[in-house]
Amino acid sequence: MKAVVQRVSEGSVMVDGKVHTSIGKGFVILLGIKTGDTKDAALFLADKCAALRMFEDANEKMNLSLKDVGGSVIVVSQFTLYGDAQKGNRPSFIEAARPEEAEPLYNLFVERMKSLLGDDKVGAGVFRAMMEVKIVNDGPVTILIESK
C-alpha cells in the first residue's frame, strides 16, 4: 500500500460536476492499494499519515502535525499509483488490487483517519467514481509513504 501525501492550502473532490468534499489547510492523500495488502498495512499507513509532521513551526521547521494546526484530510483512492510503465508506453496495472479487495481496505484507512483526527476532519473521494480532484499544494510539500 502506498500513500502520496500532499500538503495543501485547499483541496476538493468533485463528482458529476458537484463538490463532494472540500478542505482548507491539510493533506490530500492519494491512496494506492496493491494485491495482497492487509488490514495491518492500512492501519499502519493511516497512523503514519495522521502523525506526520509536515507543517512549519515558528522556526520554519516541519515540526507540526495535522492536529497541531487544526488541519483536515481528503483521502482519494488511486489505483494508478501501482501503474507500471517500465515496458512500452501503456501502463500495466497488474499490481493494483481488484476493487473487491481494495475497497474494504480503503474504507478501513478512511475510518482509521476519522478515529485519529475526528469525523469532521476527514473527507473521502468516491471509490471507483470518476473524480475531479483539486489540489492547491502548499510549499509544495509531497511525501510518499509505503507499507512494508
Side-chain angles (χ1 to χ4, degrees), residues 23-43:
I23 62 168
K25 184 177 195 168
F27 296 158
V28 171
I29 300 174
L30 308 176
L31 186 67
I33 301 166
K34 72 177 179 179
T35 300
D37 275 337
T38 64
K39 290 180 180 181
D40 286 342
L43 297 175

Side-chain angles (χ1 to χ4, degrees), residues 92-107:
S92 167
F93 299 103
I94 198 159
E95 287 188 19
R98 303 283 310 148
E100 53 277 359
E101 180 183 2
E103 188 171 14
L105 294 174
Y106 170 76
N107 291 334

Side-chain angles (χ1 to χ4, degrees), residues 47 50 106 117:
D47 291 351
Y106 170 76
L117 300 172

Side-chain angles (χ1 to χ4, degrees), residues 5-98:
V5 183
Q6 297 186 346
R7 187 177 76 184
V8 300
S9 55
E10 64 181 85
S12 63
V13 172
M14 291 181 63
V15 178
D16 296 328
K18 296 180 182 142
V19 175
H20 177 72
T21 189
S22 64
I23 62 168
K25 184 177 195 168
F27 296 158
V28 171
I29 300 174
L30 308 176
L31 186 67
I33 301 166
K34 72 177 179 179
T35 300
D37 275 337
T38 64
K39 290 180 180 181
D40 286 342
L43 297 175
F44 165 82
L45 214 54
D47 291 351
K48 190 69 149 171
C49 289
L52 279 176
R53 297 185 304 169
M54 289 176 50
F55 297 93
E56 293 178 352
D57 63 16
N59 298 318
E60 297 183 354
K61 286 195 174 249
M62 283 198 290
N63 204 24
L64 302 176
S65 70
L66 282 165
K67 278 190 174 184
D68 296 329
V69 300
S72 299
V73 175
I74 295 175
V75 183
V76 177
S77 176
Q78 190 168 352
F79 77 93
T80 59
L81 291 178
Y82 281 102
D84 181 1
Q86 293 295 316
K87 296 179 183 175
N89 294 318
R90 182 176 176 267
S92 167
F93 299 103
I94 198 159
E95 287 188 19
R98 303 283 310 148

